[in-house]
Coordinates of all heavy atoms in Angstrom, one line a residue:
M5 N 170.5 125.0 -41.6 CA 169.7 123.8 -41.3 C 170.3 122.6 -42.0 O 170.6 122.6 -43.2 CB 168.2 124.0 -41.7 CG 167.4 122.8 -41.3 SD 165.6 123.1 -41.7 CE 165.1 123.7 -40.2
T6 N 170.5 121.5 -41.3 CA 171.1 120.4 -41.8 C 170.1 119.4 -42.4 O 168.9 119.6 -42.1 CB 172.0 119.6 -40.8 OG1 171.1 119.1 -39.8 CG2 173.0 120.5 -40.2
T7 N 170.5 118.4 -43.1 CA 169.6 117.4 -43.6 C 169.0 116.7 -42.5 O 167.8 116.3 -42.5 CB 170.4 116.4 -44.5 OG1 171.0 117.1 -45.6 CG2 169.5 115.3 -45.1
L8 N 169.7 116.4 -41.4 CA 169.1 115.7 -40.2 C 168.0 116.5 -39.6 O 167.0 116.0 -39.2 CB 170.3 115.5 -39.2 CG 169.9 114.7 -38.0 CD1 169.3 113.3 -38.4 CD2 171.1 114.5 -37.1
D9 N 168.2 117.9 -39.5 CA 167.1 118.7 -39.0 C 165.9 118.7 -39.9 O 164.8 118.6 -39.3 CB 167.6 120.2 -38.9 CG 168.7 120.3 -37.8 OD1 168.8 119.5 -36.9 OD2 169.5 121.3 -37.9
C10 N 166.1 118.7 -41.2 CA 164.9 118.6 -42.1 C 164.2 117.3 -42.0 O 163.0 117.2 -41.9 CB 165.4 118.8 -43.5 SG 165.9 120.5 -43.9
T11 N 165.0 116.2 -41.9 CA 164.4 114.9 -41.7 C 163.6 114.8 -40.4 O 162.5 114.2 -40.4 CB 165.5 113.8 -41.8 OG1 166.2 113.9 -43.0 CG2 164.9 112.4 -41.7
E12 N 164.1 115.3 -39.3 CA 163.5 115.3 -38.1 C 162.2 116.1 -38.1 O 161.1 115.7 -37.6 CB 164.4 115.9 -37.0 CG 163.8 115.8 -35.6 CD 164.8 116.3 -34.5 OE1 166.0 116.2 -34.7 OE2 164.3 117.0 -33.6
T13 N 162.2 117.2 -38.8 CA 161.0 118.0 -38.9 C 159.9 117.3 -39.7 O 158.7 117.3 -39.4 CB 161.3 119.4 -39.6 OG1 162.3 120.1 -38.9 CG2 160.1 120.2 -39.8
V14 N 160.3 116.6 -40.8 CA 159.4 115.9 -41.6 C 158.8 114.7 -40.8 O 157.6 114.4 -40.9 CB 160.1 115.3 -42.9 CG1 159.2 114.3 -43.6 CG2 160.4 116.5 -43.8
V15 N 159.6 114.0 -40.0 CA 159.1 112.9 -39.2 C 158.1 113.4 -38.2 O 157.1 112.8 -38.0 CB 160.3 112.2 -38.5 CG1 159.8 111.2 -37.5 CG2 161.1 111.5 -39.6
R16 N 158.4 114.5 -37.5 CA 157.5 115.1 -36.5 C 156.1 115.5 -37.2 O 155.1 115.2 -36.6 CB 158.1 116.3 -35.9 CG 159.2 116.0 -34.9 CD 159.7 117.2 -34.2 NE 160.7 116.9 -33.3 CZ 161.5 117.7 -32.7 NH1 161.3 119.0 -32.9 NH2 162.4 117.3 -31.8
R17 N 156.2 116.1 -38.4 CA 155.0 116.5 -39.0 C 154.2 115.2 -39.5 O 153.0 115.2 -39.3 CB 155.3 117.3 -40.2 CG 155.7 118.7 -39.9 CD 156.0 119.6 -41.0 NE 156.4 120.9 -40.6 CZ 157.0 121.8 -41.4 NH1 157.1 121.5 -42.7 NH2 157.3 123.0 -41.0
S18 N 154.9 114.2 -39.9 CA 154.2 113.0 -40.3 C 153.5 112.3 -39.2 O 152.4 111.8 -39.2 CB 155.2 112.0 -41.0 OG 155.7 112.5 -42.2
L19 N 154.3 112.3 -38.0 CA 153.7 111.7 -36.8 C 152.5 112.5 -36.4 O 151.4 111.9 -36.0 CB 154.7 111.7 -35.7 CG 154.3 111.1 -34.4 CD1 153.8 109.7 -34.5 CD2 155.4 111.2 -33.3
A20 N 152.5 113.8 -36.4 CA 151.4 114.6 -36.0 C 150.2 114.4 -36.9 O 149.1 114.3 -36.5 CB 151.8 116.1 -36.0
L21 N 150.4 114.3 -38.2 CA 149.4 114.0 -39.2 C 148.8 112.6 -39.0 O 147.5 112.4 -39.0 CB 149.8 114.2 -40.6 CG 150.1 115.6 -41.1 CD1 150.8 115.6 -42.5 CD2 148.8 116.4 -41.1
T22 N 149.6 111.7 -38.7 CA 149.1 110.3 -38.4 C 148.3 110.2 -37.2 O 147.2 109.6 -37.2 CB 150.3 109.3 -38.3 OG1 151.1 109.4 -39.5 CG2 149.9 107.9 -38.0
L23 N 148.7 110.9 -36.1 CA 147.9 111.0 -34.9 C 146.6 111.7 -35.1 O 145.6 111.2 -34.6 CB 148.7 111.6 -33.8 CG 149.9 110.9 -33.3 CD1 150.7 111.7 -32.3 CD2 149.5 109.5 -32.6
A24 N 146.6 112.8 -35.8 CA 145.4 113.5 -36.1 C 144.4 112.7 -36.9 O 143.2 112.6 -36.6 CB 145.7 114.8 -36.8
A25 N 144.9 112.0 -37.9 CA 144.1 111.1 -38.8 C 143.5 110.0 -37.9 O 142.3 109.6 -38.1 CB 144.9 110.6 -39.9
G26 N 144.3 109.4 -37.0 CA 143.8 108.4 -36.2 C 142.7 108.9 -35.3 O 141.7 108.2 -35.0
A27 N 142.9 110.1 -34.7 CA 141.8 110.7 -33.9 C 140.5 110.9 -34.6 O 139.4 110.6 -34.2 CB 142.3 112.0 -33.2
V28 N 140.7 111.4 -35.9 CA 139.5 111.7 -36.7 C 138.8 110.3 -37.0 O 137.6 110.3 -36.9 CB 139.9 112.4 -38.0 CG1 138.8 112.4 -39.0 CG2 140.3 113.8 -37.7
D29 N 139.6 109.3 -37.3 CA 139.0 108.0 -37.5 C 138.2 107.5 -36.3 O 137.1 106.9 -36.5 CB 140.0 107.0 -37.9 CG 140.6 107.2 -39.3 OD1 140.0 107.9 -40.1 OD2 141.7 106.6 -39.6
K30 N 138.8 107.6 -35.1 CA 138.1 107.2 -33.9 C 136.8 107.9 -33.7 O 135.8 107.3 -33.3 CB 139.0 107.3 -32.7 CG 140.3 106.5 -32.8 CD 140.1 105.3 -32.0 CE 141.4 104.6 -32.0 NZ 141.3 103.1 -31.9
V31 N 136.8 109.2 -33.9 CA 135.6 110.1 -33.7 C 134.6 109.7 -34.7 O 133.4 109.5 -34.4 CB 136.0 111.6 -33.7 CG1 134.7 112.4 -33.8 CG2 136.8 112.0 -32.5
T32 N 135.0 109.5 -35.9 CA 134.0 109.1 -37.0 C 133.4 107.7 -36.7 O 132.2 107.6 -36.8 CB 134.8 109.0 -38.3 OG1 135.3 110.3 -38.6 CG2 133.8 108.6 -39.5
A33 N 134.2 106.8 -36.2 CA 133.7 105.5 -35.8 C 132.7 105.6 -34.6 O 131.7 104.9 -34.6 CB 134.8 104.5 -35.5
L34 N 133.0 106.4 -33.7 CA 132.2 106.6 -32.5 C 130.8 107.2 -32.9 O 129.8 106.7 -32.5 CB 132.9 107.5 -31.5 CG 132.0 107.9 -30.3 CD1 131.6 106.7 -29.5 CD2 132.7 108.9 -29.4
L35 N 130.9 108.2 -33.8 CA 129.6 108.8 -34.2 C 128.8 107.9 -35.0 O 127.6 107.8 -34.9 CB 129.9 110.1 -35.1 CG 130.5 111.3 -34.3 CD1 130.9 112.4 -35.2 CD2 129.6 111.7 -33.2
G36 N 129.4 107.0 -35.9 CA 128.7 106.0 -36.6 C 128.1 105.0 -35.7 O 126.9 104.6 -35.9
A37 N 128.8 104.6 -34.7 CA 128.3 103.6 -33.7 C 127.1 104.2 -33.0 O 126.1 103.5 -32.8 CB 129.4 103.1 -32.8
L38 N 127.2 105.4 -32.6 CA 126.0 106.0 -31.9 C 124.8 106.2 -32.8 O 123.7 106.0 -32.4 CB 126.5 107.4 -31.3 CG 127.5 107.3 -30.2 CD1 127.9 108.7 -29.7 CD2 126.9 106.5 -29.0
R39 N 125.1 106.5 -34.0 CA 124.0 106.7 -35.0 C 123.3 105.3 -35.2 O 122.1 105.2 -35.2 CB 124.5 107.3 -36.3 CG 123.4 107.5 -37.3 CD 123.9 107.9 -38.7 NE 124.8 106.9 -39.3 CZ 126.1 107.1 -39.5 NH1 126.7 108.2 -39.2 NH2 126.8 106.1 -40.0
N40 N 124.1 104.3 -35.4 CA 123.6 102.9 -35.6 C 122.9 102.4 -34.4 O 121.9 101.7 -34.5 CB 124.7 102.0 -36.1 CG 125.1 102.2 -37.5 OD1 124.4 102.9 -38.2 ND2 126.3 101.7 -37.8
R41 N 123.3 102.8 -33.2 CA 122.7 102.3 -32.0 C 121.3 103.0 -31.9 O 120.3 102.3 -31.5 CB 123.5 102.7 -30.8 CG 122.9 102.1 -29.5 CD 123.9 102.1 -28.3 NE 124.9 101.1 -28.4 CZ 124.7 99.8 -28.0 NH1 123.6 99.5 -27.5 NH2 125.7 98.9 -28.1
R42 N 121.2 104.2 -32.3 CA 119.9 104.9 -32.3 C 118.9 104.1 -33.2 O 117.7 103.9 -32.9 CB 120.0 106.3 -32.7 CG 118.8 107.2 -32.7 CD 119.0 108.6 -33.1 NE 120.0 108.6 -34.2 CZ 120.7 109.6 -34.5 NH1 120.6 110.8 -33.9 NH2 121.6 109.6 -35.5
E43 N 119.4 103.7 -34.4 CA 118.6 103.0 -35.3 C 118.3 101.6 -34.7 O 117.2 101.1 -34.9 CB 119.3 102.8 -36.7 CG 119.5 104.1 -37.4 CD 118.2 104.8 -37.8 OE1 117.2 104.1 -38.1 OE2 118.1 106.0 -37.7
F44 N 119.2 101.0 -34.0 CA 119.0 99.7 -33.4 C 117.9 99.8 -32.4 O 117.1 98.8 -32.3 CB 120.3 99.4 -32.7 CG 120.2 98.2 -31.7 CD1 120.2 96.9 -32.1 CD2 120.2 98.5 -30.3 CE1 120.1 95.9 -31.2 CE2 120.2 97.4 -29.4 CZ 120.1 96.1 -29.9
Y45 N 117.7 100.9 -31.7 CA 116.6 101.0 -30.7 C 115.3 101.0 -31.4 O 114.3 100.6 -30.9 CB 116.8 102.2 -29.8 CG 117.9 102.1 -28.8 CD1 118.9 103.0 -28.7 CD2 118.0 101.0 -28.0 CE1 119.9 102.9 -27.8 CE2 119.0 100.8 -27.1 CZ 119.9 101.8 -27.0 OH 120.9 101.7 -26.0
H46 N 115.2 101.4 -32.7 CA 114.0 101.4 -33.4 C 113.5 100.0 -33.7 O 112.3 99.7 -33.8 CB 114.1 102.2 -34.7 CG 114.2 103.7 -34.5 ND1 113.2 104.4 -34.0 CD2 115.2 104.5 -34.8 CE1 113.6 105.7 -33.9 NE2 114.8 105.8 -34.4
L47 N 114.5 99.0 -33.8 CA 114.1 97.7 -34.0 C 113.3 97.1 -32.8 O 112.4 96.2 -33.0 CB 115.4 96.8 -34.2 CG 116.2 97.0 -35.4 CD1 117.5 96.2 -35.3 CD2 115.4 96.7 -36.7
G48 N 113.5 97.6 -31.7 CA 112.8 97.2 -30.5 C 111.3 97.5 -30.6 O 110.5 96.9 -29.9
Q49 N 111.0 98.5 -31.4 CA 109.6 98.9 -31.6 C 108.8 98.0 -32.6 O 107.6 98.1 -32.8 CB 109.5 100.3 -32.0 CG 110.1 101.3 -31.0 CD 110.2 102.7 -31.5 OE1 110.0 103.0 -32.6 NE2 110.5 103.6 -30.6
M50 N 109.6 97.2 -33.3 CA 109.0 96.3 -34.3 C 108.3 95.1 -33.7 O 108.7 94.7 -32.6 CB 110.1 95.8 -35.3 CG 110.7 96.9 -36.1 SD 112.1 96.4 -37.1 CE 111.2 95.5 -38.4
S51 N 107.3 94.6 -34.4 CA 106.7 93.4 -33.8 C 107.6 92.2 -34.1 O 108.5 92.2 -34.9 CB 105.3 93.1 -34.6 OG 105.5 92.8 -35.9
D52 N 107.3 91.0 -33.4 CA 108.0 89.8 -33.6 C 108.0 89.3 -35.0 O 109.0 88.8 -35.6 CB 107.5 88.7 -32.6 CG 107.9 89.0 -31.2 OD1 108.8 89.9 -31.0 OD2 107.3 88.4 -30.3
I53 N 106.8 89.5 -35.7 CA 106.7 89.1 -37.1 C 107.6 89.9 -38.0 O 108.3 89.4 -38.9 CB 105.2 89.2 -37.5 CG1 104.4 88.2 -36.7 CG2 105.1 89.0 -39.0 CD1 102.9 88.3 -36.9
E54 N 107.6 91.2 -37.7 CA 108.5 92.1 -38.5 C 110.0 91.8 -38.3 O 110.7 91.7 -39.3 CB 108.3 93.6 -38.2 CG 106.9 94.1 -38.6 CD 106.6 95.5 -38.0 OE1 106.9 95.7 -36.8 OE2 106.0 96.3 -38.8
L55 N 110.3 91.5 -37.1 CA 111.7 91.1 -36.8 C 112.0 89.7 -37.5 O 113.1 89.6 -38.1 CB 112.0 90.9 -35.3 CG 112.0 92.2 -34.5 CD1 112.0 91.9 -33.0 CD2 113.2 93.1 -34.9
A56 N 111.1 88.8 -37.5 CA 111.3 87.5 -38.2 C 111.5 87.7 -39.7 O 112.3 87.0 -40.3 CB 110.2 86.6 -37.9
D57 N 110.9 88.7 -40.2 CA 111.0 89.0 -41.7 C 112.4 89.4 -42.1 O 112.9 89.1 -43.2 CB 110.0 90.1 -42.1 CG 108.6 89.6 -42.3 OD1 108.4 88.4 -42.3 OD2 107.7 90.5 -42.3
I58 N 113.2 89.9 -41.1 CA 114.5 90.3 -41.4 C 115.5 89.4 -40.7 O 116.7 89.6 -40.6 CB 114.8 91.8 -41.0 CG1 114.5 92.0 -39.5 CG2 114.0 92.7 -41.8 CD1 114.9 93.4 -39.0
G59 N 115.0 88.2 -40.3 CA 115.9 87.2 -39.8 C 116.3 87.3 -38.3 O 117.3 86.7 -37.9
L60 N 115.5 88.1 -37.6 CA 115.9 88.3 -36.2 C 114.8 87.9 -35.2 O 113.6 87.7 -35.6 CB 116.2 89.8 -35.9 CG 117.3 90.4 -36.7 CD1 117.4 91.9 -36.4 CD2 118.6 89.8 -36.2
R61 N 115.1 87.6 -34.0 CA 114.2 87.4 -32.9 C 114.4 88.5 -31.9 O 115.4 89.1 -31.8 CB 114.5 86.0 -32.3 CG 114.3 84.9 -33.3 CD 114.6 83.6 -32.6 NE 114.5 82.5 -33.6 CZ 115.2 81.4 -33.6 NH1 116.1 81.2 -32.6 NH2 115.1 80.5 -34.6
R62 N 113.4 88.6 -31.0 CA 113.5 89.7 -30.0 C 114.7 89.5 -29.1 O 115.4 90.4 -28.7 CB 112.2 89.7 -29.2 CG 112.2 90.9 -28.2 CD 110.9 91.5 -28.0 NE 110.0 91.7 -29.2 CZ 110.0 92.8 -30.0 NH1 110.9 93.8 -29.7 NH2 109.2 92.9 -31.0
G63 N 115.0 88.2 -28.8 CA 116.1 88.0 -27.9 C 117.5 88.4 -28.5 O 118.4 88.7 -27.8
D64 N 117.5 88.4 -29.9 CA 118.7 88.8 -30.6 C 119.0 90.3 -30.2 O 120.2 90.7 -30.1 CB 118.6 88.7 -32.1 CG 118.3 87.2 -32.5 OD1 118.7 86.3 -31.7 OD2 117.8 87.1 -33.6
L65 N 118.0 91.1 -30.0 CA 118.2 92.5 -29.7 C 118.9 92.6 -28.3 O 119.7 93.5 -28.1 CB 116.9 93.2 -29.7 CG 116.1 93.2 -31.0 CD1 114.8 94.0 -30.9 CD2 116.9 93.8 -32.2
Y66 N 118.5 91.8 -27.4 CA 119.1 91.8 -26.1 C 120.6 91.4 -26.1 O 121.4 92.0 -25.5 CB 118.3 90.9 -25.1 CG 116.9 91.4 -24.8 CD1 115.8 90.8 -25.4 CD2 116.7 92.6 -24.1 CE1 114.5 91.2 -25.1 CE2 115.4 93.1 -23.9 CZ 114.4 92.4 -24.4 OH 113.1 92.8 -24.2
V67 N 120.9 90.4 -26.9 CA 122.2 89.9 -27.1 C 123.1 91.0 -27.7 O 124.2 91.3 -27.2 CB 122.3 88.6 -27.9 CG1 123.7 88.2 -28.3 CG2 121.6 87.5 -27.2
A68 N 122.7 91.6 -28.8 CA 123.4 92.6 -29.4 C 123.5 93.9 -28.6 O 124.5 94.6 -28.7 CB 122.8 92.9 -30.8
G69 N 122.5 94.2 -27.8 CA 122.5 95.4 -27.0 C 123.4 95.3 -25.8 O 123.5 96.3 -25.1
E70 N 123.9 94.2 -25.5 CA 124.7 94.0 -24.2 C 126.1 94.7 -24.3 O 126.8 94.9 -23.3 CB 125.0 92.5 -23.9 CG 123.7 91.8 -23.5 CD 123.9 90.3 -23.2 OE1 125.0 89.8 -23.7 OE2 123.1 89.7 -22.6
N71 N 126.5 95.1 -25.5 CA 127.8 95.7 -25.7 C 127.8 97.1 -25.1 O 126.7 97.7 -25.0 CB 128.1 95.8 -27.2 CG 128.4 94.5 -27.8 OD1 128.9 93.6 -27.2 ND2 128.0 94.3 -29.0
P72 N 128.9 97.7 -24.8 CA 129.0 99.1 -24.3 C 128.4 100.0 -25.4 O 128.3 99.7 -26.6 CB 130.5 99.4 -24.2 CG 131.1 98.1 -24.1 CD 130.3 97.1 -24.8
L73 N 127.9 101.2 -25.0 CA 127.2 102.1 -25.8 C 128.1 102.6 -27.0 O 127.5 102.9 -28.1 CB 126.8 103.4 -25.1 CG 125.6 103.2 -24.1 CD1 125.4 104.5 -23.3 CD2 124.4 102.7 -24.8
I74 N 129.4 102.6 -26.9 CA 130.2 103.0 -28.0 C 130.4 102.0 -29.1 O 131.0 102.2 -30.1 CB 131.5 103.6 -27.5 CG1 132.3 102.5 -26.8 CG2 131.3 104.8 -26.7 CD1 133.7 102.9 -26.4
I75 N 130.0 100.7 -28.8 CA 130.1 99.6 -29.8 C 128.9 99.5 -30.6 O 127.7 99.6 -30.1 CB 130.3 98.3 -29.0 CG1 131.5 98.4 -28.1 CG2 130.5 97.1 -30.0 CD1 132.8 98.1 -28.6
D76 N 129.0 99.4 -31.9 CA 127.9 99.3 -32.9 C 127.2 98.0 -32.8 O 127.9 97.0 -33.1 CB 128.5 99.6 -34.3 CG 127.4 99.6 -35.3 OD1 126.2 99.4 -35.0 OD2 127.7 100.0 -36.5
P77 N 126.0 97.9 -32.4 CA 125.3 96.6 -32.2 C 124.8 96.0 -33.5 O 124.5 94.8 -33.6 CB 124.1 96.9 -31.3 CG 123.8 98.3 -31.7 CD 125.1 99.0 -31.9
T78 N 124.8 96.8 -34.6 CA 124.3 96.3 -35.8 C 125.2 95.2 -36.5 O 124.7 94.3 -37.2 CB 124.0 97.4 -36.8 OG1 125.3 98.1 -37.1 CG2 123.0 98.4 -36.3
G79 N 126.4 95.3 -36.2 CA 127.4 94.3 -36.7 C 127.0 92.9 -36.1 O 127.0 91.9 -36.8
R80 N 126.8 92.9 -34.8 CA 126.5 91.7 -34.1 C 125.1 91.1 -34.6 O 125.0 89.9 -34.8 CB 126.4 91.9 -32.6 CG 126.1 90.7 -31.8 CD 127.2 89.7 -31.9 NE 126.8 88.5 -31.1 CZ 126.8 87.3 -31.6 NH1 127.1 87.0 -32.8 NH2 126.4 86.3 -30.8
L81 N 124.2 92.0 -34.8 CA 122.9 91.6 -35.3 C 123.0 90.9 -36.7 O 122.4 89.9 -37.0 CB 121.9 92.7 -35.4 CG 121.2 93.2 -34.1 CD1 120.3 94.4 -34.4 CD2 120.5 92.1 -33.5
G82 N 123.9 91.5 -37.5 CA 124.1 90.9 -38.9 C 124.7 89.5 -38.7 O 124.3 88.6 -39.5
Q83 N 125.6 89.3 -37.8 CA 126.2 88.0 -37.6 C 125.2 87.0 -37.1 O 125.1 85.8 -37.6 CB 127.3 88.0 -36.5 CG 128.5 88.8 -37.0 CD 129.5 89.0 -35.8 OE1 129.1 88.8 -34.6 NE2 130.7 89.4 -36.1
I84 N 124.3 87.4 -36.2 CA 123.2 86.5 -35.7 C 122.3 86.1 -36.9 O 122.0 85.0 -37.0 CB 122.4 87.2 -34.6 CG1 123.3 87.4 -33.4 CG2 121.2 86.5 -34.3 CD1 122.8 88.3 -32.3
A85 N 121.9 87.1 -37.7 CA 120.9 86.8 -38.8 C 121.6 85.9 -39.8 O 121.0 85.0 -40.3 CB 120.5 88.1 -39.4
E86 N 122.9 86.2 -40.1 CA 123.6 85.3 -41.1 C 123.7 83.9 -40.6 O 123.5 82.9 -41.3 CB 124.9 85.9 -41.4 CG 124.9 87.1 -42.3 CD 126.2 87.8 -42.5 OE1 127.3 87.1 -42.2 OE2 126.3 88.9 -43.0
G87 N 124.0 83.7 -39.3 CA 124.1 82.4 -38.7 C 122.8 81.7 -38.8 O 122.8 80.5 -39.1
R88 N 121.7 82.4 -38.5 CA 120.4 81.7 -38.6 C 120.0 81.3 -40.0 O 119.5 80.3 -40.2 CB 119.4 82.7 -38.0 CG 118.0 82.0 -37.8 CD 117.1 82.8 -36.8 NE 117.7 82.8 -35.5 CZ 117.9 83.9 -34.8 NH1 117.6 85.1 -35.3 NH2 118.4 83.8 -33.6
I89 N 120.4 82.2 -40.9 CA 120.1 81.8 -42.3 C 120.9 80.6 -42.7 O 120.4 79.7 -43.4 CB 120.5 83.0 -43.3 CG1 119.5 84.1 -43.1 CG2 120.5 82.6 -44.7 CD1 119.8 85.4 -43.7
S90 N 122.2 80.5 -42.3 CA 123.0 79.3 -42.6 C 122.4 78.1 -42.0 O 122.4 77.0 -42.6 CB 124.4 79.6 -42.1 OG 125.0 80.6 -42.8
E91 N 122.0 78.2 -40.7 CA 121.4 77.0 -40.1 C 120.1 76.6 -40.8 O 119.9 75.3 -41.0 CB 121.0 77.4 -38.6 CG 122.1 77.6 -37.7 CD 121.7 78.1 -36.3 OE1 120.4 78.2 -36.1 OE2 122.5 78.5 -35.6
N92 N 119.3 77.5 -41.3 CA 118.1 77.1 -42.0 C 118.4 76.5 -43.3 O 117.7 75.5 -43.8 CB 117.2 78.3 -42.2 CG 116.6 78.8 -40.9 OD1 116.5 78.0 -39.9 ND2 116.2 80.1 -40.8
L93 N 119.5 77.0 -44.0 CA 119.9 76.3 -45.3 C 120.3 74.9 -45.1 O 120.0 74.0 -45.9 CB 120.9 77.2 -46.0 CG 120.5 78.5 -46.5 CD1 121.7 79.3 -47.1 CD2 119.4 78.3 -47.6
V94 N 121.1 74.7 -44.0 CA 121.6 73.3 -43.7 C 120.4 72.4 -43.5 O 120.3 71.3 -44.0 CB 122.5 73.4 -42.5 CG1 122.8 72.0 -42.0 CG2 123.8 74.1 -42.9
R95 N 119.4 72.9 -42.7 CA 118.2 72.1 -42.4 C 117.5 71.8 -43.7 O 116.9 70.7 -43.9 CB 117.3 72.8 -41.4 CG 117.8 72.8 -40.0 CD 116.8 73.4 -39.1 NE 117.5 73.8 -37.9 CZ 117.2 74.8 -37.1 NH1 116.3 75.7 -37.5 NH2 117.9 75.1 -36.1
L96 N 117.4 72.7 -44.6 CA 116.6 72.5 -45.8 C 117.4 71.5 -46.7 O 116.7 70.7 -47.5 CB 116.5 73.8 -46.6 CG 115.5 74.8 -46.1 CD1 115.6 76.1 -46.8 CD2 114.1 74.3 -46.1
N97 N 118.7 71.4 -46.7 CA 119.4 70.5 -47.5 C 119.5 69.1 -46.9 O 119.9 68.2 -47.6 CB 120.9 71.0 -47.7 CG 120.9 72.2 -48.6 OD1 120.0 72.3 -49.5 ND2 121.8 73.2 -48.4
D98 N 119.2 69.0 -45.6 CA 119.2 67.6 -45.0 C 118.0 66.8 -45.3 O 117.0 67.0 -45.8 CB 119.3 67.8 -43.5 CG 120.7 68.2 -43.0 OD1 121.6 68.1 -43.8 OD2 120.8 68.6 -41.9

């Protein structure tokens, strides 16, 4: 076996490990998104007052829920809530 053969074997194994790790990462992200989407649906059962307590409005749930099922809606909800908090702080400072 030559050095070139050994190098080729190492490269193939590295590529296989990289592809496997990428697949595991994708599956983990998908499972996390599905778990968070299940929790997201529980927000729909909250009253408008409860949603307001966490910086959300009912319409925000519709906006965040428009993404495909495999996309985690909680990230979008966080952006919406942070934007609303920023707007309120600006109004308070004016």
Side-chain angles (χ1 to χ4, degrees):
M5 182 175 265
T6 66
T7 303
L8 185 59
D9 292 336
C10 290
T11 303
E12 185 178 324
T13 301
V14 168
V15 169
R16 284 184 183 169
R17 287 181 182 166
S18 294
L19 179 60
L21 288 173
T22 300
L23 291 174
V28 168
D29 288 344
K30 297 266 187 207
V31 169
T32 301
L34 174 63
L35 292 175
L38 292 174
R39 182 184 63 245
N40 287 345
R41 186 163 284 275
R42 185 179 36 202
E43 295 299 321
F44 166 76
Y45 287 128
H46 290 295
L47 292 174
Q49 298 171 352
M50 295 173 75
S51 70
D52 290 343
I53 294 171
E54 291 170 321
L55 288 172
D57 284 344
I58 58 174
L60 297 173
R61 297 178 186 149
R62 187 144 319 269
D64 299 339
L65 301 179
Y66 294 108
V67 171
E70 290 177 347
N71 293 325
L73 288 177
I74 60 172
I75 305 273
D76 184 354
T78 58
R80 180 68 181 125
L81 282 178
Q83 293 171 345
I84 292 169
E86 287 175 12
R88 190 163 293 125
I89 289 168
S90 297
E91 289 172 11
N92 290 337
L93 289 175
V94 168
R95 286 186 197 143
L96 288 174
N97 290 327
D98 286 343

